[in-house]
Amino acid sequence: MNIKDKVRELLKYCSVYQGHVNMMDERRSDQNFQVVLPEEKEIRETLGNLQFILLTGEAGDGKSRLIRTLRSELDKYGFKIYPDFSAVSEGEKQEIIKRIAGVVEGESQDHIIIAANVGIFTRTVLQYQESLMDKLSRKNDRVKIINFEKRNLAWDKEVFAQIVQAFLAYDNQPCADTTCSHCEKCMFQENVDFLQSQKGIESIRVLCDAVSLIGEHITFRELLSLLAYIVTFGESCEERVKKADAADCSYEGIFAPNKNYDKVLMNVRHMDPAYCNAETEERNYVSVSMCRREKRLRFFTEPEHKYQLLAVDYLAEFQRVIRRFQEEPYIESEMIQEGELYRLKRGLLRLTRKGQSDLSMKVVDTPAMLGDDIQTEFELGDIEIIWHRYGLDFQCPDKEEHSPEERNRFAMSYVYEEEDGEIDAITLVINYRLFRYLMMADDYYYLSHSSKSIEEYTINTFFRKILKKKKGAYEKMTVRFNNKEQGNLCDISLQLPGKKSVFSGKNKAVKIKREG
């Protein structure tokens, strides 16, 4: 296939970007595009032991494609296939849930696979057999649940490269249409060649990973549409030839505004390197438009530091922390003396200590019925906090095998032992939004000490839960009267007993002190 034929094929997927509902059906007819994704490999390896498989996610995540690919093996093991759970009648749904419960309990030999868009299966279970939800969350060798909504296709560099190369593959033969004025310098071909190069693949992977890190999700279909769009920008050969400046059709134009308002494109354009101020050296540009273009090109050609070239606050730092916790499951807070996690610790302190010079952590906990006139602060003492990967098994925190549910968040936890010896934890999940908030506090960009503001990110709730769970978690409580006009009021502090005196062996006395 020559490049022109390939481009015409690509146009089927991007002439109406994201709007071609039959894209996956058409693309699967191309035998050259065969990529084995991790989910398919995982199911194939365990299919002999499985009796219930649930595939859930957004439209375009590849659920139907996976079922088609596995069809012969599923038939071999006698699976009853429900490729669209939403199309099943209510009566049949109720019967299916009953049969699944039998499989989970080990009382049935049924084999069932279901593909359902996000939320549909969960709502059905809650309606007909609520107790099944808890049972499905437990480890069961007969059950496989794959939530594509939590999948980040850009996480695995090798798999992502396979997808790009397979989708953009062609025979490297030049366009046979010698009458075309762009025949010897075809932007379609130049875009395809670059996107298949190491720099091109890594650039697109970083873009998709960045979208995932900030909390968005790119489906398999959206990824293929994005690849096709970067090649053709939704234009035909005839439309491309009419353009005076061929460079306007170059791959870096993915960041430039145009008539397409697809959600993936909008997320990409919000990261436009043209508006990033991360440059470390002074440069001279002929014009504003040239400055924007060169910054966009630099993102694609820069071999390293791509995350910090995108116009997203603290994205590079967030990405480094996420990667760190995939290699190191947890870090004790007192061991952190530098880096992004240390900055997060400082951000927490600066949010809670209201400009005071001490380094203590103060948590506001004022009952709503008291209004804003009275404020109580708890100064936390020695509590064991760890920073860790999301989904960490606290019973076996050091085990090497792990399968975190999501790779766009991590957590900090107060870990404690229950009376029965079980390990439990109070956890604050840190996504990009909260990470940015704490980093801005560390940089003094944002220092609202309002309890309502902090509560928006559940920071106070996290520490209040610790105060409630751990006896003696705070060393000092301060009561502040904010309405001084009432008169005859003063702030007071209560110092609670600490450890026994090393001299007398007696508990330290409770101290009530006037503040201010």
Side-chain angles (χ1 to χ4, degrees):
M1 180 185 297
N2 63 36
I3 185 63
K4 189 169 183 178
D5 292 334
K6 182 64 183 179
V7 166
R8 282 176 174 162
E9 183 181 347
L10 286 171
L11 279 169
K12 291 191 295 185
Y13 312 109
C14 63
S15 58
V16 181
Y17 181 72
Q18 279 284 106
H20 205 307
V21 295
N22 297 316
M23 182 187 72
M24 291 302 298
D25 291 330
E26 293 176 357
R27 195 64 179 100
R28 71 186 176 93
S29 64
D30 182 355
Q31 297 303 311
N32 295 320
F33 182 57
Q34 298 296 328
V35 179
V36 178
L37 298 179
E39 295 81 11
E40 178 182 341
K41 183 180 179 182
E42 189 178 346
I43 290 178
R44 287 184 186 278
E45 291 174 349
T46 58
L47 194 54
N49 299 321
L50 296 176
Q51 286 182 248
F52 173 56
I53 303 172
L54 172 63
L55 310 176
T56 183
E58 295 181 19
D61 267 319
K63 303 183 296 296
S64 300
R65 176 182 181 273
L66 181 55
I67 288 178
R68 285 196 299 266
T69 304
L70 294 170
R71 187 66 190 242
S72 60
E73 285 88 347
L74 293 171
D75 290 341
K76 175 183 174 182
Y77 287 99
F79 272 84
K80 175 65 176 176
I81 301 172
Y82 297 93
D84 184 4
F85 193 62
S86 61
V88 177
S89 68
E90 286 302 312
E92 192 173 1
K93 283 179 182 175
Q94 188 172 2
E95 179 61 29
I96 293 170
I97 296 301
K98 182 179 179 180
R99 289 164 54 200
I100 293 171
V103 169
V104 173
E105 296 290 350
E107 300 171 352
S108 171
Q109 295 304 311
D110 285 338
H111 288 72
I112 302 167
I113 182 169
I114 291 174
N117 285 349
V118 175
I120 293 176
F121 180 80
T122 301
R123 287 195 297 271
T124 305
V125 172
L126 292 175
Q127 180 179 356
Y128 295 119
Q129 198 163 143
E130 187 175 345
S131 61
L132 181 59
M133 285 303 301
D134 181 57
K135 296 174 183 177
L136 286 172
S137 66
R138 301 171 191 168
K139 182 174 176 55
N140 190 327
D141 292 335
R142 297 184 297 275
V143 176
K144 174 73 68 179
I145 298 176
I146 297 178
N147 187 347
F148 288 100
E149 190 183 24
K150 295 182 177 180
R151 174 180 65 179
N152 176 8
L153 289 164
W155 178 261
D156 190 316
K157 294 184 179 183
E158 184 177 342
V159 170
F160 191 84
Q162 290 174 3
I163 296 172
V164 175
Q165 290 170 339
F167 183 74
L168 297 177
Y170 70 104
D171 58 11
N172 291 304
Q173 295 299 313
C175 178
D177 184 5
T178 56
T179 62
C180 176
S181 59
H182 293 271
C183 181
E184 295 184 1
K185 186 176 176 56
C186 175
M187 286 306 301
F188 284 157
Q189 181 170 349
E190 290 189 8
N191 288 342
V192 169
D193 288 343
F194 176 77
L195 292 178
Q196 289 190 96
S197 70
Q198 185 175 348
K199 285 184 178 180
I201 292 173
E202 181 61 7
S203 298
I204 302 305
R205 190 196 69 79
V206 167
L207 273 181
C208 293
D209 190 40
V211 171
S212 175
L213 286 172
I214 63 174
E216 299 294 335
H217 173 60
I218 295 182
T219 69
F220 190 63
R221 180 184 298 170
E222 287 170 341
L223 172 59
L224 300 187
S225 291
L226 182 66
L227 291 172
Y229 184 79
I230 299 176
V231 173
T232 67
F233 291 90
E235 297 175 342
S236 65
C237 283
E238 290 74 16
E239 291 173 312
R240 181 64 56 90
V241 168
K242 293 177 182 177
K243 288 198 171 184
D245 186 0
D248 289 340
C249 313
S250 182
Y251 51 83
E252 76 275 8
I254 188 66
F255 293 110
N258 59 38
K259 61 185 178 182
N260 292 286
Y261 293 98
D262 174 81
K263 72 180 182 74
V264 178
L265 283 177
M266 293 303 294
N267 282 323
V268 168
R269 286 167 188 153
H270 287 157
M271 302 178 179
D272 192 346
Y275 301 99
C276 178
N277 296 317
E279 291 190 18
T280 57
E281 57 182 282
E282 188 174 328
R283 299 171 185 264
N284 295 318
Y285 298 99
V286 176
S287 64
V288 172
S289 60
M290 185 60 69
C291 172
R292 291 174 180 169
R293 185 167 189 171
E294 288 194 20
K295 281 189 170 185
R296 291 165 180 163
L297 275 171
R298 197 177 310 137
F299 166 78
F300 284 99
T301 56
E302 174 71 36
E304 300 177 352
H305 313 302
K306 289 184 181 290
Y307 289 91
Q308 68 186 49
L309 291 176
L310 294 171
V312 184
D313 295 339
Y314 305 108
L315 177 65
E317 294 89 337
F318 187 58
Q319 187 265 345
R320 286 196 293 269
V321 173
I322 296 295
R323 285 283 174 180
R324 177 175 181 176
F325 281 125
Q326 301 311 306
E327 301 168 0
E328 193 172 4
Y330 68 92
I331 306 168
E332 295 182 39
S333 188
E334 60 265 27
M335 303 300 294
I336 299 169
Q337 301 298 327
E338 60 182 2
E340 287 83 10
L341 292 180
Y342 184 69
R343 294 184 62 189
L344 292 185
K345 288 172 60 177
R346 282 193 317 207
L348 280 168
L349 291 172
R350 288 173 177 169
L351 280 170
T352 60
R353 71 186 186 209
K354 295 198 170 186
Q356 298 175 38
S357 58
D358 60 280
L359 296 177
S360 60
M361 177 71 74
K362 292 183 174 65
V363 181
V364 177
D365 185 15
T366 304
M369 62 182 292
L370 297 178
D372 296 327
D373 289 346
I374 301 177
Q375 180 175 300
T376 57
E377 292 178 357
F378 294 87
E379 187 172 310
L380 298 186
D382 182 22
I383 57 174
E384 296 181 0
I385 295 289
I386 66 168
W387 301 75
H388 59 91
R389 73 164 64 112
Y390 183 76
L392 179 70
D393 183 350
F394 294 107
Q395 303 295 332
C396 306
D398 294 309
K399 69 178 182 181
E400 292 187 7
E401 293 185 10
H402 67 281
S403 180
E405 293 183 43
E406 298 180 33
R407 296 190 179 98
N408 60 356
R409 58 195 64 197
F410 60 100
M412 62 179 292
S413 293
Y414 163 63
V415 183
Y416 58 93
E417 187 175 356
E418 294 281 17
E419 293 181 1
D420 59 4
E422 289 289 310
I423 302 296
D424 206 345
I426 296 170
T427 298
L428 176 66
V429 177
I430 301 177
N431 56 17
Y432 169 74
R433 182 168 170 264
L434 176 53
F435 182 89
R436 178 177 180 271
Y437 176 75
L438 295 176
M439 294 291 275
M440 289 177 72
D442 177 54
D443 287 333
Y444 286 109
Y445 287 135
Y446 185 72
L447 276 175
S448 171
H449 297 288
S450 162
S451 59
K452 294 179 181 178
S453 176
I454 297 175
E455 187 59 26
E456 180 183 354
Y457 296 90
T458 68
I459 295 171
N460 267 337
T461 297
F462 170 68
F463 287 110
R464 281 201 297 264
K465 288 180 179 178
I466 296 175
L467 288 169
K468 185 177 180 180
K469 187 69 183 178
K470 180 178 170 60
K471 293 181 179 180
Y474 63 95
E475 297 176 344
K476 179 180 177 182
M477 182 186 75
T478 302
V479 179
R480 301 189 185 278
F481 296 92
N482 297 322
N483 190 352
K484 305 298 184 182
E485 295 179 359
Q486 291 183 5
N488 301 320
L489 297 176
C490 67
D491 297 343
I492 61 171
S493 65
L494 174 68
Q495 189 86 35
L496 297 179
K499 297 179 181 179
K500 290 183 178 181
S501 170
V502 294
F503 299 105
S504 65
K506 297 180 180 180
N507 286 334
K508 295 179 181 179
V510 175
K511 296 180 181 179
I512 299 178
K513 179 183 176 183
R514 176 174 178 167
E515 294 286 328

